[in-house]
Amino acid sequence: MEAPLQAAKKMLVVLENRVRAARQHPIPFVDFVMREETSRIPIHCSPHQRVLFKFVKDHQSSVILLPVGHTKTFSMAALLLWELGQDCTSRGAIVSATQGQAAKVLAMVRDYIETSPELRVVFPRLRPSTRRADPWTTTAITVDRPVGIRDPSVQAVGLEGAVNVSRLKYIMVDDIFTHENTLNRDAHDKVHHFVDSTVQNRMDMKE
C-alpha cells in the first residue's frame, strides 16, 4: 500500500502540472478555475469550447455564434480572466446593448478575482488594485499593476455609452442586438456605426 507521504507528493506534482498548464492556455485554465454558476462544481472544457478558444486565439477579430445555453458569454469571460492573468497591464471592454447587461458579465470577472482560490493559485498577482484612484465598481475594475497606466483594466459599456479607454487590447461585444434595435434599418445601422466608430477605433492595432 502506498505510503501517505508518497501519495501526497504525487498529488502535489499533479496539482503543480495543472497550475502550470492553466497559466499557459485557456483550456486547462477553464478546467482548473471555472465553476458551474449555480452548483459551483468544476467545469470540464467541452469540445465546442475548445474550438471556440482556438478560433478566438487564432484570429484578431472573430464572431462567435452559438445556440442559447452553450456558454458563449461564460467562455469569453473566462478567456478575459485568463488574458488579465497573462498581462495585468492590458485593458479591455465588455460591450452590450445596455451597460447593466455588460455589468453582469463584468460582475462574474470581478467575483472570480475577489473570491476564487483556484484563480489565486494560477495567477497570484491577479487581484484588485489597492490604489484609491483606481475603480473597482460594478462598471469598471482595475487590477493590481504598475503605476502610470491610465484607464480601468476592464469596463462595462452599453450601446452608445462612452468607452473611456485610450487603447484596448480586447473588446468583448456580447448580445448587442435586441428586438428593438433590429426592427428597422436605421436602428440596425446605428448599432453598426457605434461598434465601428466608437468601439473598434479604440483597439490598439499593435496588439
Side-chain angles (χ1 to χ4, degrees):
M1 186 174 182
E2 188 175 38
L5 181 58
Q6 291 177 322
K9 287 181 178 179
K10 286 185 178 181
M11 290 178 63
L12 182 59
V13 170
V14 171
L15 176 61
E16 289 174 344
N17 288 338
R18 291 192 66 190
V19 170
R20 188 179 302 111
R23 288 175 182 153
Q24 296 172 347
H25 198 276
I27 291 175
F29 175 82
V30 168
D31 287 343
F32 187 79
V33 174
M34 305 306 291
R35 296 290 182 268
E36 200 278 327
E37 187 173 4
T38 54
S39 67
R40 309 309 297 169
I41 63 174
I43 289 176
H44 181 67
C45 200
S46 62
H48 78 272
Q49 286 176 306
R50 292 171 179 268
V51 174
L52 183 155
F53 289 133
K54 185 177 188 311
F55 183 77
V56 173
K57 292 291 289 178
D58 288 347
H59 299 84
Q60 184 176 25
S61 298
S62 57
V63 177
I64 307 298
L65 296 174
L66 289 172
V68 174
H70 279 64
T71 69
K72 170 176 57 68
T73 301
F74 180 89
S75 298
M76 293 307 298
L79 184 59
L80 193 156
L81 275 168
W82 184 80
E83 289 284 358
L84 272 177
Q86 293 291 310
D87 180 9
C88 65
T89 68
S90 63
R91 288 160 294 177
I94 302 167
V95 183
S96 297
T98 66
Q99 188 178 48
Q101 186 176 342
K104 291 179 181 179
V105 184
L106 182 63
M108 186 182 109
V109 173
R110 189 181 67 241
D111 289 346
Y112 269 87
I113 295 174
E114 288 177 343
T115 66
S116 172
E118 293 84 8
L119 180 64
R120 186 59 54 86
V121 170
V122 177
F123 296 120
R125 297 182 181 179
L126 183 56
R127 57 185 68 204
S129 172
T130 58
R131 301 184 185 94
R132 289 184 179 180
D134 289 341
W136 191 264
T137 68
T138 57
T139 57
I141 64 171
T142 307
V143 300
D144 190 30
R145 61 190 184 183
V147 298
I149 300 174
R150 296 178 297 168
D151 309 316
S153 301
V154 188
Q155 64 175 292
V157 181
L159 184 61
E160 299 183 1
V163 182
N164 297 317
V165 179
S166 54
R167 285 293 178 263
L168 297 166
K169 182 178 181 180
Y170 42 82
I171 303 169
M172 175 181 171
V173 180
D174 183 57
D175 294 333
I176 199 167
F177 283 110
T178 65
H179 175 71
E180 288 75 17
N181 63 33
T182 54
L183 285 176
N184 61 74
R185 185 70 184 183
D186 288 342
H188 186 272
D189 290 346
K190 197 172 183 180
V191 176
H192 276 285
H193 178 72
F194 169 74
V195 173
D196 291 341
S197 64
T198 303
V199 178
Q200 290 194 4
N201 283 347
R202 297 289 185 175
M203 284 293 294
D204 189 342
M205 301 310 296
K206 295 182 295 183
E207 296 295 346

